[in-house]
Amino acid sequence: MRYRKSPSAALGLLILAIVALSQTPARAQAPCPVDHDKLLSALKANVKASGGPANGGFETNEWAAIVARDGTVCAMAFSGPTADAQWPGSRLIEAEKANTANGVSVANMALSTANLYAGAQPAEPLFGLQTTSPVNQAAAYAGDAGTFGSANDPLIGKPIGGVVVFGGGLALYDGKRIVGGLGVSGDSSCADHNVAWRVRTALGFDKVPAGVNPNLKDAIIYDIDPGGKSASGWGHPLCQGKEGDVAAELGAGVGGSDPK
């Protein structure tokens, strides 16, 4: 006589398996280049709203995230006094920016999220790039909101996925190799790029080997003409503030400063 599992028994086993998986601690498999406290300190020191320098945009508070080289989120922070002191939607955007910059950069060449804008437009070579790595919704919308941006943020140890094609995401290099990605969000995309550039420098992971901008490597390139075409193919639109001037002063961008 053959033993046959009942549907209810199979369902019970499935539920037990799901519960077991949900209770398994999520951990990044690759080492995290920055811990929460270092990220928080660098972010606050480089956002005007929390006492840092101007970045040319709205000068609002910002979110920042680090992903390890394997794409798992490993540090999260925000510059304001509470999580809702900066745009709530930017929590996921900054993590996706970090994921993007890490995902399109390799040991000998970096691309910032700002470098992807022009190529991702209709009829351009990277059109559709935003759809290639869907957001991990199970991770994105889980956990206690009271821990968002803390050392215990629910995203820690989980892959976020997502692709962002505007400024604010940079790959991290320690001088020997690429070690992950940084994402910043909460201001204009151009200001986010400036903040990310400052934060990466403060953390010491700015040893970028090469990029599509020969001299400034993965800097933002403001070369989109009135018709929407980028001369380099890697351009980004100018924003409405003084972000281009700040980028030029930082060495974080070219082509966006007002003629003096």
Side-chain angles (χ1 to χ4, degrees):
M1 181 176 177
R2 293 166 59 188
Y3 174 74
R4 189 177 178 186
K5 281 186 181 177
S6 69
S8 59
L11 179 60
L13 288 172
L14 177 60
I15 291 172
L16 287 172
I18 292 172
V19 170
L21 286 172
S22 68
Q23 292 178 345
T24 300
R27 294 186 179 181
Q29 297 301 301
C32 192
V34 180
D35 65 25
H36 170 266
D37 290 347
K38 288 182 180 178
L39 178 61
L40 178 62
S41 178
L43 181 64
K44 282 181 171 289
N46 287 290
V47 173
K48 187 175 182 181
S50 54
N55 288 289
F58 301 118
E59 308 300 0
T60 45
N61 277 304
E62 299 259 27
W63 290 85
I66 300 287
V67 300
R69 186 58 178 149
D70 63 359
T72 53
V73 179
C74 61
M76 300 276 286
F78 54 78
S79 65
T82 60
D84 67 345
Q86 40 282 306
W87 299 341
S90 284
R91 173 177 171 266
L92 295 182
I93 296 171
E94 41 96 19
E96 293 170 45
K97 287 181 180 181
N99 175 70
T100 304
N102 177 66
V104 298
S105 299
V106 290
N108 60 354
M109 182 177 173
L111 287 171
S112 64
T113 55
N115 295 150
L116 303 176
Y117 179 90
Q121 302 310 302
E124 297 300 331
L126 298 179
F127 180 61
L129 180 65
Q130 302 96 311
T131 67
T132 59
S133 178
V135 174
N136 178 0
Q137 294 193 19
Y141 302 107
D144 177 6
T147 64
F148 287 0
S150 74
N152 298 312
D153 189 293
L155 285 179
I156 301 299
K158 300 173 184 174
I160 182 58
V163 176
V164 175
V165 294
F166 48 82
L170 299 171
L172 302 175
Y173 292 85
D174 65 2
K176 298 178 182 178
R177 60 191 181 279
I178 179 172
V179 295
L182 162 69
V184 170
S185 183
D187 203 317
S188 72
S189 57
C190 306
D192 289 345
H193 173 83
N194 291 343
V195 176
W197 195 275
R198 291 185 191 273
V199 170
R200 180 173 69 175
T201 300
L203 294 172
F205 291 113
D206 56 345
K207 314 302 189 294
V208 181
V212 291
N213 187 318
N215 298 319
L216 303 179
K217 298 168 184 178
D218 58 349
I220 196 167
I221 302 170
Y222 293 115
D223 69 351
I224 295 181
D225 67 24
K229 283 289 184 180
S230 165
S232 66
W234 303 100
H236 189 285
L238 275 165
C239 298
Q240 298 300 310
K242 297 293 184 182
E243 298 96 328
D245 292 333
V246 174
E249 292 167 4
L250 290 175
V254 293
S257 58
D258 293 329
K260 299 296 188 287

